[in-house]
Amino acid sequence: MTIRVLLVDDQPLLRTGFRLILEAEPDITVVGQAGDGKDAQEQTRALLPDVVLMDIRMPGVDGIEATRRIVREAAPAAHVPKVLVLTTFDLDEYIVEALRSGASGFLLKDVPPDELVQAIRVVAAGDAIVAPSVTRRLLDRFATRLPSAYEQAAPARLDRLTERELEVLRLIAKGMSNAEIAAKLVVSETTVKTHVGNVLTKLGLRDRVQAVVLAYETGLITPGAIS
């Protein structure tokens, strides 16, 4: 199956570079490009991409609002595109808002080409991905925003998980992939996928990105624990 990608960035040179990288892959095709969030929303509606590679800071409608609109508009339909957000270290303050808007993952703009390609495949398959360095900075920044009332309810929520599921949640929160978790726990990747699915279902989470934030909110992971 070919993965249909929409590129969204206000810099034409970057869009061209991403397009050259992606179209060299046999299973990926770039179906369109947009220079701002409003155009991205319109092209998503018209082209039905599987993945929207979304910049954050753009003139007019930014990537946060565009992500929110795309996810909200597509949610009732059978086809819901996945949004993969591009960020840079100086844009950390936007990451939490992108998460809340429905993004399926975050990458840095200087991501190596092979990692970009793999990330697109991951989110197209229905999973979520967060660059480990983004995870670390996201969580360290997010720690100062935790509501104290939530901390009291957190233990009861985590009680729904088995010890192995808690361990898997910790590793997810460290930015580890299913393959890396399987190697760490010395189990099959299929077993890890089952554990991840159980964690998301029991905690009522949409994807791994939400699991990362929940692990931090509940104190399962603390600042400086990501390595």
Side-chain angles (χ1 to χ4, degrees):
M1 174 180 280
T2 300
I3 302 171
R4 297 162 54 83
V5 177
L6 174 66
L7 301 177
V8 184
D9 197 295
D10 63 331
Q11 299 183 47
L13 191 58
L14 277 178
R15 295 200 307 268
T16 299
F18 287 138
R19 182 167 198 147
L20 289 173
I21 292 169
L22 298 181
E23 292 200 328
E25 300 299 319
D27 59 336
I28 297 176
T29 183
V30 176
V31 296
Q33 300 183 43
D36 59 62
K38 183 175 183 296
D39 191 20
Q41 182 186 12
E42 294 172 352
Q43 291 206 46
T44 298
R45 188 185 302 124
L47 300 174
L48 300 178
D50 300 304
V51 176
V52 179
L53 195 60
M54 180 78 73
D55 186 23
I56 289 184
R57 182 174 290 178
M58 295 181 291
V61 178
D62 65 18
I64 304 298
E65 178 60 26
T67 297
R68 183 179 297 113
R69 293 181 184 181
I70 288 171
V71 173
R72 182 177 60 218
E73 183 175 288
H79 180 85
V80 181
K82 306 297 183 181
V83 179
L84 184 57
V85 171
L86 294 173
T87 184
T88 53
F89 283 138
D90 61 324
L91 296 180
D92 290 332
E93 65 270 24
Y94 297 107
I95 298 177
V96 172
E97 289 308 314
L99 166 69
R100 291 171 176 159
S101 298
S104 292
F106 306 92
L107 290 179
L108 299 180
K109 276 195 171 181
D110 60 355
V111 61
D114 59 332
E115 292 184 19
L116 171 64
V117 170
Q118 181 59 22
I120 287 174
R121 291 177 179 141
V122 167
V123 297
D127 208 339
I129 190 166
V130 184
S133 53
V134 175
T135 301
R136 181 184 301 111
R137 295 175 66 86
L138 163 65
L139 298 185
D140 286 345
R141 180 177 292 266
F142 195 66
T144 61
R145 308 181 184 181
L146 304 183
S148 57
Y150 192 91
E151 295 175 358
Q152 299 176 359
R157 193 173 188 186
L158 292 183
D159 279 347
R160 304 171 191 173
L161 304 182
T162 66
E163 284 301 317
R164 178 46 63 97
E165 288 165 354
L166 276 172
E167 189 173 12
V168 169
L169 178 55
R170 288 189 187 94
L171 298 178
I172 290 173
K174 291 183 179 181
M176 296 177 70
S177 67
N178 284 352
E180 291 169 332
I181 294 173
K184 174 79 172 178
L185 301 181
V186 195
V187 297
S188 71
E189 193 168 345
T190 299
T191 298
V192 173
K193 289 180 180 178
T194 299
H195 287 316
V196 171
N198 289 341
V199 168
L200 299 182
T201 299
K202 289 182 178 181
L203 298 180
L205 304 175
R206 183 184 65 244
D207 53 39
R208 297 167 78 102
V209 181
Q210 289 191 338
V212 169
V213 173
L214 178 65
Y216 202 77
E217 287 180 322
T218 58
L220 195 63
I221 291 293
T222 56
I226 306 301
S227 61

